[in-house]
Amino acid sequence: MLVTEVSNALPGGSSLLRNEPVQARSSARLAGLLDAAAAVIDDIGFERLTTAMVAERAGASIGTVYRYFPDRIAVVEALAIRCTQRLGARFVEALDASGADTWQSGCDALIDLTAEMYRTEPGFRAIRFGDAGDTGSGDGEDRMAALGGAVGQVMRERFGLPDTEAISRAWTVLAESGHAVLARALADREHPDLDLVEAFRAMSHSYMGSVLAAA
């Protein structure tokens, strides 16, 4: 994933960035700042993240951070977008690898992938940050709706599901609820709550099945 994709995907174009990375070195610097933010979030959580911590972890000056980001919220939102992009890119790969041939097995592949990324992807918990209650912006809500729409499109193309407003809404519901449940289930990466993961899997099958039956 190119770091410039992050700036292109930011709400309102690249308004969260003070300067877009137009050269390879600038892109690498921005990637390093996001990697540093991810590491700090994994260590202490996003609530305590500061731009000074990002600079220190990245081995950069605070001026370098402010060259790209106006505040800590913009750092977190950019990291969340990067995580969302990586999840979307790996979803199709996960479907191919799993040999999924039904929408239920497609759901399972997405759940397993998301759980694995919560366990292994630095800063992946940032994917849920940016909700209105977390940062004061509505960008997180738009991001989850976009993620649900992307998943719905893949599922329609793969498994021939109908294209209805109710089904599209259902994918958004599952994206929102899934990240809330899986973040809790994987809060302890070394000892994940697998029963909670399986409960969400069963709920997903039942809920989507009922929506499809009514379509």
Side-chain angles (χ1 to χ4, degrees), residues 114 118 124-125 127-129 131 144 172-187 196-197 200 203:
T114 305
Y118 269 112
F124 190 72
R125 295 172 195 284
I127 199 170
R128 293 194 65 240
F129 301 162
D131 293 339
M144 282 298 177
T172 299
V173 169
L174 290 178
E176 292 276 7
S177 59
H179 283 282
V181 172
L182 294 176
R184 179 178 292 274
L186 277 295
L196 196 54
V197 176
F200 178 72
M203 187 205 76

Side-chain angles (χ1 to χ4, degrees), residues 124-203:
F124 190 72
R125 295 172 195 284
I127 199 170
R128 293 194 65 240
F129 301 162
D131 293 339
D134 291 331
T135 67
S137 74
D139 300 328
E141 181 180 349
D142 292 340
R143 184 169 55 253
M144 282 298 177
L147 180 60
V151 168
Q153 180 178 347
V154 171
M155 299 294 275
R156 287 194 301 272
E157 294 173 351
R158 288 280 180 136
F159 308 114
L161 301 186
D163 184 7
T164 70
E165 183 178 351
I167 293 174
S168 295
R169 185 184 308 112
W171 289 120
T172 299
V173 169
L174 290 178
E176 292 276 7
S177 59
H179 283 282
V181 172
L182 294 176
R184 179 178 292 274
L186 277 295
D188 184 344
R189 290 176 170 174
E190 299 302 319
H191 303 91
D193 187 341
L194 299 180
D195 289 339
L196 196 54
V197 176
E198 293 310 310
F200 178 72
R201 192 189 309 275
M203 187 205 76

Side-chain angles (χ1 to χ4, degrees), residues 4-214:
T4 50
E5 293 175 8
V6 173
S7 63
N8 290 337
L10 286 170
S14 57
S15 60
L16 289 178
L17 294 181
R18 290 185 183 277
N19 294 284
E20 292 188 24
V22 295
Q23 297 180 343
R25 188 171 70 174
S26 295
S27 293
R29 186 178 295 118
L30 177 56
L33 294 176
L34 294 180
D35 291 342
V40 173
I41 287 172
D42 281 356
D43 285 348
I44 65 172
F46 87 98
E47 298 89 347
R48 295 169 57 193
L49 178 75
T50 66
T51 51
M53 291 176 183
V54 174
E56 181 179 3
R57 185 65 67 97
S61 68
I62 190 67
T64 297
V65 177
Y66 284 124
R67 176 183 175 189
Y68 295 104
F69 302 104
D71 53 38
R72 61 182 288 274
I73 299 304
V75 176
V76 174
E77 291 185 352
L79 179 61
I81 289 169
R82 186 173 76 169
C83 290
T84 304
Q85 290 172 336
R86 289 180 174 178
L87 175 62
R90 293 174 189 174
F91 177 40
V92 174
E93 297 175 2
L95 285 177
D96 292 337
S98 69
D101 56 3
T102 65
W103 69 262
Q104 292 92 336
S105 57
C107 276
D108 289 344
L110 179 60
I111 292 169
D112 292 340
L113 169 65
T114 305
E116 177 65 12
M117 291 186 73
Y118 269 112
R119 191 179 70 82
T120 62
E121 177 78 12
F124 190 72
R125 295 172 195 284
I127 199 170
R128 293 194 65 240
F129 301 162
D131 293 339
D134 291 331
T135 67
S137 74
D139 300 328
E141 181 180 349
D142 292 340
R143 184 169 55 253
M144 282 298 177
L147 180 60
V151 168
Q153 180 178 347
V154 171
M155 299 294 275
R156 287 194 301 272
E157 294 173 351
R158 288 280 180 136
F159 308 114
L161 301 186
D163 184 7
T164 70
E165 183 178 351
I167 293 174
S168 295
R169 185 184 308 112
W171 289 120
T172 299
V173 169
L174 290 178
E176 292 276 7
S177 59
H179 283 282
V181 172
L182 294 176
R184 179 178 292 274
L186 277 295
D188 184 344
R189 290 176 170 174
E190 299 302 319
H191 303 91
D193 187 341
L194 299 180
D195 289 339
L196 196 54
V197 176
E198 293 310 310
F200 178 72
R201 192 189 309 275
M203 187 205 76
S204 298
H205 288 190
S206 177
Y207 170 60
M208 184 55 71
S210 67
V211 173
L212 288 170

